[in-house]
Amino acid sequence: MSAHTVEFWFEFASTYSYPAAMRIEHLAAQHGCDLVWKPFLLGPILRAQKLDNSPFNIQPVKGRYMWRDVERTCAELEIPLVRPSVFPRNGLLAARVACAADGAPWLSAFVRNVYSANFAHDLDISQPDVVLGCLESVVSDPQAVLALANHDQTRAQLRSNTDEAIRFGIFGAPSFLVGQELFWGNDRMEQAMRWSHR
């Protein structure tokens, strides 16, 4: 990795990861940063905190603020937002696909497709047919990629990513790592990119 590498740690169920994923590639190019996409799962991290649901569901006042804040953020960025009828959605399969696509040139487009499916079209991203649809416009053989996502090695990679996130002290998504420096939240993305040039 170069001195200007920014790791983007994202979770497909995460509301704030949605606007982050939709703009990060463009911003990284503007800032001259090398971008590393790091899918992981928040579930194990929340369970370690004795939480069995999203904090935004557990604390309704916080949840109401979050949804309004995401509405404002998406409106400002001109990104469509439809509040999902189920929240949080299970992004396990999509995260495995993202792990299987590590380093592939189509990874970023797939990630954006999944976020759009969930947060712009209210589609159930836990379903294989929805994930397949997110792949169809970016790869020539989406069925092969979907099969690869279920290989033991891919499953192990996602577990490893999640374990690594815990070791780095990541507690939410999106998070950005520059070396050992952690930045949390969509609104810290630019700061992380500037930090990579210190």
Side-chain angles (χ1 to χ4, degrees):
M1 289 189 289
S2 79
H4 307 309
T5 296
V6 175
E7 294 182 2
F8 173 40
W9 292 78
F10 61 96
E11 223 275 14
F12 282 116
S14 161
T15 50
Y16 287 106
S17 291
Y18 168 48
M22 302 307 275
R23 68 195 188 99
I24 191 169
E25 204 166 33
H26 177 68
L27 276 175
Q30 279 187 332
H31 284 82
C33 297
D34 293 325
L35 192 57
V36 178
W37 298 74
K38 299 288 285 191
F40 75 109
L41 298 178
L42 273 173
I45 293 172
L46 293 177
R47 286 193 292 274
Q49 301 171 20
K50 305 293 190 282
L51 299 175
D52 61 359
N53 202 336
S54 166
F56 296 122
N57 289 338
I58 294 170
Q59 301 175 16
V61 172
K62 191 174 185 178
R64 283 194 295 274
Y65 173 82
M66 178 275 291
W67 284 114
R68 183 61 191 131
D69 190 42
V70 172
E71 286 173 359
R72 289 192 300 257
T73 298
C74 289
E76 184 176 16
L77 296 171
E78 299 182 343
I79 298 170
L81 176 69
V82 174
R83 183 169 173 174
S85 52
V86 175
F87 175 79
R89 282 209 166 104
N90 183 339
L92 175 62
L93 178 59
R96 286 176 177 164
V97 169
C99 282
D102 185 30
W106 51 266
L107 172 58
S108 60
F110 168 74
V111 169
R112 289 190 295 270
N113 285 350
V114 174
Y115 277 114
S116 292
N118 192 19
F119 291 107
H121 303 291
D122 192 20
L123 299 176
D124 186 354
I125 59 170
S126 71
Q127 296 302 309
D129 61 323
V130 173
V131 176
L132 199 63
C134 294
L135 281 166
E136 284 174 345
S137 65
V138 298
V139 295
S140 59
D141 192 347
Q143 289 285 1
V145 175
L146 204 61
L148 182 61
N150 288 311
H151 284 188
D152 288 344
Q153 184 177 353
T154 307
R155 293 168 184 257
Q157 183 59 57
L158 182 57
R159 286 193 298 271
S160 176
N161 282 11
T162 302
D163 290 343
E164 190 179 6
I166 292 169
R167 286 195 302 274
F168 281 127
I170 291 174
F171 55 87
S175 288
F176 311 92
L177 271 176
V178 181
Q180 300 296 312
E181 201 75 24
L182 174 63
F183 300 83
W184 171 56
N186 173 58
D187 56 347
R188 291 294 180 266
M189 186 189 306
E190 289 89 343
Q191 186 180 18
M193 292 182 181
R194 290 192 300 270
W195 191 274
S196 76
H197 288 274
R198 287 170 64 97

